[in-house]
Amino acid sequence: METPQSPVRGPARHTAVPHTAPSSAAGSAPSPVGRSLAGRTALVTGAASGIGRSCAQALAAAGAHVHVVDRNADAARDLAGAIGGTLWVADLSDPDAVDALPADADIVVNNAGIQHVAPVHAFPPDLFALIQRVMVEAPFRILRRTLPGMYERGWGRVVNISSVHGLRASPYKSAYVTAKHALEGLSKVVALEAAEHGVTSNCVNPGYVRTPLVENQIADQARTHGISEDEVVGRVMLERSAIKRLIEPDDVAEAVLWLCGPRTGHITGTSLSMDGGWTAN
């Protein structure tokens, strides 16, 4: 269950600002599908780091022009420059900023998210609402604007980065679990509506992914509990997983890339678990 960014109480109202960077192969992840996405355009949210960054790199390496969407302007600008993408600085909790994003995408990867841990009775209502805006309303608004173009072109791929928490619940994560379950439902509705237009919609459901935020959580828990970082991963984070190691962001990106590839037109409305056997329990 990736947790791509920390909670924000008073989000900055960034305006979506496009910037097209010169094409460069630097920083692009290798792709087993060659240039199968040449001529396609992809939009990736939360693209400045972690899973989103790996997805943007993989899609660009496969030939897609990538709209790099993130509120972290500096990191997103660096990535856009490395992959020849277009930078969009946007706070996805701001509906006006979301509605200013481009509508010409053939591929949409809804990845951006926020995590906050607290019991339900102590969970701040404004933060609960913020998480729903970023992780449910923003994907809806993006798809509402991009689907008509996909329908017109007769091809499209929607990949929603969900989580094992889109399929299972954990205590103290009410907003995150609620949002991921809602994203799963949105994905399935889009799959049913879009099928006749050559558009698929799927979720990818990772467990804990080796992102900077997760690595910081490991270090914090090791200090708090007086145990090693390896013990935090194996005994705390991955207690319910059969495979006791973190998922790499590039592995998630390869699953996303595969769902966008030439042999997956009949895969839609699904949730692809990458949880090391968590949901097999």
Side-chain angles (χ1 to χ4, degrees), residues 8-251:
V8 284
R9 298 280 183 163
R13 299 293 180 179
H14 295 303
T15 301
V17 179
H19 170 73
T20 302
S23 179
S24 169
S28 296
S31 166
V33 297
R35 304 285 291 179
S36 64
L37 297 179
R40 303 293 188 188
T41 299
L43 185 151
V44 182
T45 66
S49 66
I51 294 171
R53 182 181 182 88
S54 289
C55 288
Q57 291 173 329
L59 292 166
H65 179 83
V66 180
H67 292 298
V68 176
V69 181
D70 205 285
R71 60 181 291 156
N72 185 334
D74 291 339
R77 183 178 294 107
D78 289 344
L79 175 62
I83 65 173
T86 300
L87 167 67
W88 295 81
V89 180
D91 180 349
L92 298 188
S93 70
D94 180 356
D96 291 337
V98 177
D99 289 345
L101 294 174
D104 65 341
D106 304 294
I107 298 164
V108 170
V109 180
N110 287 308
N111 166 72
I114 304 170
Q115 178 63 288
H116 182 76
V117 178
V120 170
H121 68 272
F123 209 103
D126 58 339
L127 187 51
F128 186 96
L130 172 66
I131 290 173
Q132 307 315 306
R133 288 201 304 275
V134 171
M135 297 172 60
V136 183
E137 183 179 344
F140 161 74
R141 285 180 174 273
I142 289 169
L143 293 175
R144 180 176 178 273
R145 298 182 65 248
T146 55
L147 283 172
M150 295 183 198
Y151 293 171
E152 183 177 347
R153 293 184 292 273
W155 190 93
R157 296 290 182 266
V158 176
V159 185
N160 300 298
I161 305 301
S162 182
S163 165
V164 67
H165 280 142
L167 306 172
R168 298 288 188 272
S170 288
Y172 311 118
K173 298 179 180 180
S174 57
Y176 188 85
V177 171
T178 297
K180 290 302 188 184
H181 274 66
L183 185 63
E184 295 275 334
L186 175 63
S187 183
K188 291 173 183 176
V189 170
V190 172
L192 296 178
E193 293 183 4
E196 65 181 292
H197 303 286
V199 177
T200 65
S201 176
N202 295 285
C203 288
V204 175
N205 301 70
Y208 280 102
V209 180
R210 190 185 303 279
T211 62
L213 182 59
V214 167
E215 290 184 326
N216 289 338
Q217 290 175 349
I218 294 170
D220 288 343
Q221 291 198 38
R223 286 191 297 269
T224 300
H225 298 291
I227 60 178
S228 71
E229 292 189 4
D230 287 343
E231 288 178 298
V232 171
V233 173
R235 288 170 44 192
V236 180
M237 288 186 166
L238 302 182
E239 178 185 4
R240 288 184 282 182
S241 175
I243 299 175
K244 302 299 184 183
R245 63 177 183 271
L246 297 176
I247 303 163
E248 299 300 329
D250 286 350
D251 294 338

